[in-house]
Amino acid sequence: MINLIDGFDLLVTSFVGPTIAREWHLSPSGVGALLSGGLAGMAIGALFLAPLADRIGRRRLSLGCLALASLGMLAASVSQNFGQLLVARLVTGAAVGAMAASLPVLASEYANHRRRGLVVALITTGYGLGAVIAGIASTFLLGAFGWRSVFVFGCVATAVMLVGALRYLPESMDYLVVRRPRRALDRLNRILASMGRAPVGELPVVVSVSRKAAVDSLFRGSNAVRTVLVWVAFTAAQLVFYFASSWTPSLLLKAGMSNQQGISGGLLFSLGGVTGAVLLGVLASRVDPRRLTAAYFVVGALMLVVFSMSLGMLASALVVAVLVGLFLNGTISGINVIVPSLYPAETRATALGLAVAVSRLGAVLAPLLAGFLLEAGWAPGSLFRVFAIPSLIGALATILLARYGHAIQSASAEPRTVEGVVAEA
């Protein structure tokens, strides 16, 4: 549910962007900058806020970021010019970026080995569902109340989610064991009791690891090759997905469709993304996630080319939009499934935070590049074909990761895991 709200907050500009552009007379490059604002904020949040999850806990960071995202949406709703709106989107994006690195880790730590891929994939479907809700909300609110009302809706929904998370969001058991905050044993036993497990008498002995040591371990020996491959694959996935998710409604308008048809195309893209993430999660328990993600990359590139050739035909374009979303969002889900399994508990949020931060370079550049290419006279169909290239690069990186991507060694002696504690209990 939190990821659903994050998806709404992050991707709502894709649906209201054309209306804002008409009201404020923005150029295509200006629209691209606005679309990139939230994504740039995600890079900031993933780089500077997400590592705090390993220090203060996944729960505390998520609660703080929900409050920050709600304030960012409120600021966006009262923005009076492009600069104010851009800053508001940066703030919201920073909050979403931190949670994007923390929540999949929290989910993977609570999941059992057999269903871990499915659980993490289901978490990532929240972005697609949030985008669907953003499209539906835009359809009903834009005409009657204007684009500001969509941000108000997001602000209220995020605040409601904060209240729910205060009551129901648990802390990471791995964090309690590794970092040992105040009353860690009592908190761990309450979680075990809620899971129907017997309490433990003491916390297992672990060796704490500094963030510097955790980061250094990612680039030690052959680990560096695996880490760089993760970054290349993640960057490619973000570049292609956020180009398509940000620009599909606007590009359908430029291809001759109506505003409502453009929103419908964005909605179908998001629905396809949800389906793709769920399908990947189901298949990940039966197929190596790295090989499966590589296949998603290749088919996603093919779908982009097919989509570029169907823009002039409404029915075909809308059908293909579903498939484009299915495979492109599936690549991001696949990377989120792969990464936590490569890192030990004490470095997971730091490692995923760094990967998210680096990959956000692709997410930020995608809308900007598309805006500049449109301003230079490129046709919408040409853009979809160009962005098929990085999808193929992502496929190559993931294939190499399948060959070389064995589990990265811990930065310290491997601690007893929480799963071991629960099993013993």
Side-chain angles (χ1 to χ4, degrees), residues 42 58 71 201 254 325 332:
M42 286 191 77
R58 323 276 193 242
L71 290 174
K254 289 185 177 297
I332 294 180

Side-chain angles (χ1 to χ4, degrees), residues 16-373:
V16 301
T19 302
I20 296 173
R22 287 193 299 270
E23 182 175 322
W24 288 353
H25 307 291
L26 299 180
S27 66
S29 58
V31 176
L34 187 60
L35 293 172
S36 291
L39 303 174
M42 286 191 77
I44 296 171
L47 186 59
F48 296 106
L49 297 181
L52 293 176
D54 288 327
R55 299 178 60 185
I56 67 174
R58 323 276 193 242
R59 170 185 162 84
R60 189 177 298 175
L61 178 72
S62 297
L63 294 176
C65 287
L66 280 170
L68 186 63
S70 183
L71 290 174
M73 294 295 282
L74 178 62
S77 71
V78 297
S79 297
Q80 299 301 310
N81 55 53
F82 175 82
Q84 292 177 4
L85 182 57
L86 184 60
V87 171
R89 297 305 296 153
L90 283 168
V91 170
T92 300
V96 173
M99 287 185 282
S102 179
L103 291 173
V105 173
L106 181 61
S108 70
E109 289 172 350
Y110 271 98
N112 61 47
H113 285 298
R114 188 164 64 90
R115 293 193 175 92
R116 181 163 294 159
L118 175 60
V119 168
V120 175
L122 287 174
I123 292 297
T124 63
T125 62
Y127 284 106
L129 289 171
V132 170
I133 294 175
I136 295 173
S138 298
T139 299
F140 287 101
L141 295 176
L142 270 177
F145 304 104
W147 61 267
R148 297 178 189 276
S149 64
V150 185
F151 286 108
V152 171
F153 178 87
C155 169
V156 174
T158 307
V160 170
M161 187 52 55
L162 171 60
V163 174
L166 278 167
R167 172 64 179 84
Y168 295 108
L169 184 68
E171 183 54 271
S172 160
M173 290 193 293
D174 282 329
Y175 164 76
L176 294 175
V177 170
V178 173
R179 285 291 179 176
R180 299 171 185 263
R182 187 170 60 90
R183 298 176 56 247
L185 181 60
D186 290 341
R187 294 167 67 184
L188 176 63
N189 281 329
R190 282 201 301 271
I191 294 173
L192 290 174
S194 71
M195 299 168 64
R197 303 285 183 172
V200 294
E202 61 180 2
L203 296 174
V205 176
V206 295
V207 179
S208 63
V209 180
S210 68
R211 184 169 185 251
K212 182 178 184 301
V215 173
D216 288 346
S217 72
L218 307 183
F219 300 97
R220 189 177 299 132
S222 59
N223 289 348
V225 176
R226 290 186 281 269
T227 298
V228 170
L229 287 174
V230 167
W231 287 5
V232 171
F234 215 170
T235 300
Q238 300 278 0
L239 178 74
V240 181
F241 175 78
Y242 281 107
F243 153 70
S245 63
S246 298
W247 274 102
T248 292
S250 296
L251 290 177
L252 289 176
L253 261 67
K254 289 185 177 297
M257 297 186 187
S258 67
N259 186 62
Q260 184 56 52
Q261 289 169 341
I263 291 178
S264 297
L267 272 171
L268 290 171
F269 174 91
S270 299
L271 285 170
V274 173
T275 305
V278 173
L279 180 61
L280 183 135
V282 172
L283 294 176
S285 62
R286 299 171 173 82
V287 182
D288 180 359
R290 288 165 289 193
R291 300 182 189 279
L292 180 62
T293 304
Y296 265 67
F297 269 117
V298 172
V299 181
L302 177 62
M303 289 299 103
L304 284 171
V305 175
V306 174
F307 192 51
S308 71
M309 297 185 294
S310 64
L311 290 179
M313 301 169 285
L314 176 61
S316 299
L318 295 181
V319 170
V320 179
V322 177
L323 298 176
V324 172
L326 188 153
F327 289 103
L328 296 189
N329 193 44
T331 61
I332 294 180
S333 297
I335 301 297
N336 275 295
V337 170
I338 293 168
V339 171
S341 66
L342 295 177
Y343 301 94
E346 70 269 24
T347 60
R348 282 176 194 149
T350 297
L352 188 55
L354 287 173
V356 169
V358 171
S359 68
R360 284 301 179 268
L361 176 64
V364 172
L365 288 178
L368 287 173
L369 178 59
F372 283 121
L373 291 177

